[in-house]
Each structure stands twice: as structure tokens, then as C-alpha cells.
Amino acid sequence: MLEQTRGAAHAFVEDMDHIREVIAEEGASIGDIRRLSVVLRRLIVERDIAAVAAPRMGRIMLRAPDNNPVYVHARKHPPIFFASGRARVFGWSSSLYAIEHRGPLPTTSALTTMAWPEGFDLNKTVDLRLDGFITQNVICLRGTWISRKSVIKYVAHIASGAHSGTPKEADELVLAQISRSTYVRLKED
């Protein structure tokens, strides 16, 4: 297995160096980040990382944000939008969490209860096997949760990472809606 995956292992090392360079750049272009989806698709979605790791170190665990408090909280107080990520891009790293509220504005304490999931710590992580990492829900729009795998595939196959396409699947349609209506921009501090 070592010999069969030697080329993939060399590519993995080169790809990781490239990923680190791109996300470390303060002025990394959106195109550079979008093109990383091709590498992520191969490593994560197509599971090259597991094939490379298996003969060298066995089964791998990947560190991911602990979003479990958000999932529990969302059952009673669904977010209008949630995006989870901890990679430092454009000098910024965090989660986005927004709720929609209708009716009279509740008291400050009630609003805090509705808005912030109990026990949610932006710095807390969990170690997941590759399958758990791929299927972890990382984006939510109005109650529709989208997995990391769907996001990577969408960027690589629909949003011009490797190909340009038209969204057809339910996840792709939600991601297209997010792409049209939402953006993150770092302004000053």
C-alpha cells in the first residue's frame, strides 16, 4: 500500500504546503481560495487523505469545530443563517450565526437565550473520523443544513473551482441561494 500511494503522498505534502500558503496570505484572492476546492475534493470527498494515511499511520482523525450545541439549539431556535469554519481566511476566523425573530422584541436575557446556543464555544473542537468530518453540517439556511462534503462539491463542480455548472440538487440550490445573497467581508477591525 505504501508503494501504491507514494505519488498521492507526495501530492498531499505539496498540496498542504499550498493550502497553508494561500490561507496565510492577507491578500489571497477569492479565486485562489475557490480553486482550493479542487484539492479539497480530491483529499476529503474522494478520500485520498485516508488512502495516504492508512499504510503510514492507520486511521486518521480530523479536527473540526464542535457545532453540537448549535445543532441542539437550532431545534428550538433555528438560525436564519449559520456558517461554521475555523480556517483563517483574509485574517478572519470564526462562525457566523444569525437568527430571525418575528414579533415584539424580547427582553435582553430572552434574546440572548434565543440567539446564543448554551455551551457553544467558538474555540472548542472535536476529533472526527473522515466520514464524520465529511458529513458534518457546516452551513444552515432557514433550517436546511448542508454538509462539508456538499459545500466542497458545490464549489468544485458548480461555482467554478474545477468546473462551472448549474445547481440541480437540493443542497446545490440552497448553496446557490447563499452565494447570491450572502458574503463575508473584513472591514477594518
Side-chain angles (χ1 to χ4, degrees), residues 57 98 172:
M57 57 189 290
E172 295 169 351

Side-chain angles (χ1 to χ4, degrees), residues 40-56:
L40 293 175
R41 182 192 64 197
R42 183 175 41 77
L43 292 176
I44 304 297
V45 176
E46 296 172 6
R47 310 176 65 83
D48 261 21
I49 194 169
V52 167
R56 290 165 180 81

Side-chain angles (χ1 to χ4, degrees), residues 89-141:
V89 177
F90 303 130
W92 179 80
S93 171
S94 194
S95 288
L96 298 174
Y97 190 80
I99 63 162
E100 178 177 358
H101 177 75
R102 292 194 174 102
L105 192 61
T107 64
T108 302
S109 63
L111 186 59
T112 300
T113 300
M114 286 174 55
W116 195 257
E118 184 179 334
F120 183 48
D121 179 351
L122 290 172
N123 298 313
K124 189 173 179 192
T125 58
V126 293
D127 289 335
L128 302 172
R129 291 187 172 171
L130 183 56
D131 288 334
F133 186 78
I134 290 171
T135 60
Q136 184 185 34
N137 287 321
V138 294
I139 291 182
C140 179
L141 180 65

